[in-house]
Amino acid sequence: ADIAKGRAKAIQCQACHGMDGIAKIPEAPNLAGQNEDYLVKALKDFKSGARQNDMMSVVAKPLSDDDIANFAAFYHSLGR
Amino acid sequence: ADIAKGRAKAIQCQACHGMDGIAKIPEAPNLAGQNEDYLVKALKDFKSGARQNDMMSVVAKPLSDDDIANFAAFYHSLGR
């Protein structure tokens, strides 16, 4: 996984999750330092439809496996 | 919400999520300092079946609204 690519693409996540991984809205989770395996599963579940959310179901749909791995690595790397 | 009641009942959560809210297994998320609204929704979705997980779908089923509010308050209170 490529943390730098994850950071670059996380521009699209930051309105809700923050570039520092601290959520900007109460209904979104903080992601900084979150477990990487958990983040990968969350994004794959939103992409597949196994997990549903008005925002995430839309934005996860076009993500590749690499995108997902990179986002997870980036948010995990931010630490707690 | 009652943080002390949430802490007391979180004995049942600690094998995976830790009493300090730091997950003990890679597939579980850290919960310490997580947004309270997000945690309430997660537990309600696991209880209703809107969100599915082998472990959480079982353990969330018997929770009352008070239990859910207390867990969310407790894990949020642990801070980041």
Side-chain angles (χ1 to χ4, degrees):
Chain A
D2 186 322
I3 292 173
K5 283 188 184 166
R7 181 186 296 110
K9 213 166 171 176
I11 306 297
Q12 67 182 101
C13 318
Q14 60 85 24
C16 298
H17 294 290
M19 282 309 293
D20 57 359
I22 305 299
K24 296 186 181 245
I25 56 173
E27 59 268 45
N30 302 321
L31 300 180
Q34 190 54 278
N35 285 341
E36 207 165 332
D37 289 0
Y38 174 79
L39 293 174
V40 167
K41 181 175 189 301
L43 284 169
K44 289 189 171 173
D45 284 353
F46 283 129
K47 179 178 176 171
S48 74
R51 187 173 168 190
Q52 301 274 341
N53 174 271
D54 287 346
M55 173 65 80
M56 291 304 302
S57 299
V58 174
V59 297
K61 197 71 71 185
L63 299 180
S64 69
D65 285 353
D66 278 351
D67 291 334
I68 287 173
N70 295 344
F71 279 136
F74 165 61
Y75 280 113
H76 177 73
S77 78
L78 295 172
R80 289 189 55 81
Chain B
D2 186 321
I3 292 173
K5 282 189 184 166
R7 181 186 296 111
K9 213 165 171 176
I11 306 298
Q12 66 182 105
C13 318
Q14 60 86 22
C16 297
H17 294 291
M19 282 308 293
D20 56 358
I22 305 298
K24 297 188 181 244
I25 56 173
E27 59 268 44
N30 302 321
L31 300 179
Q34 190 53 279
N35 284 341
E36 206 164 331
D37 289 0
Y38 174 79
L39 293 174
V40 167
K41 181 175 190 300
L43 284 169
K44 289 189 171 173
D45 284 352
F46 283 128
K47 179 178 175 170
S48 75
R51 188 174 169 188
Q52 301 273 341
N53 174 271
D54 287 345
M55 173 64 83
M56 291 303 302
S57 299
V58 174
V59 297
K61 197 72 69 185
L63 300 179
S64 69
D65 284 354
D66 279 352
D67 291 334
I68 288 173
N70 295 343
F71 279 136
F74 165 61
Y75 280 112
H76 178 73
S77 78
L78 294 173
R80 290 190 54 80

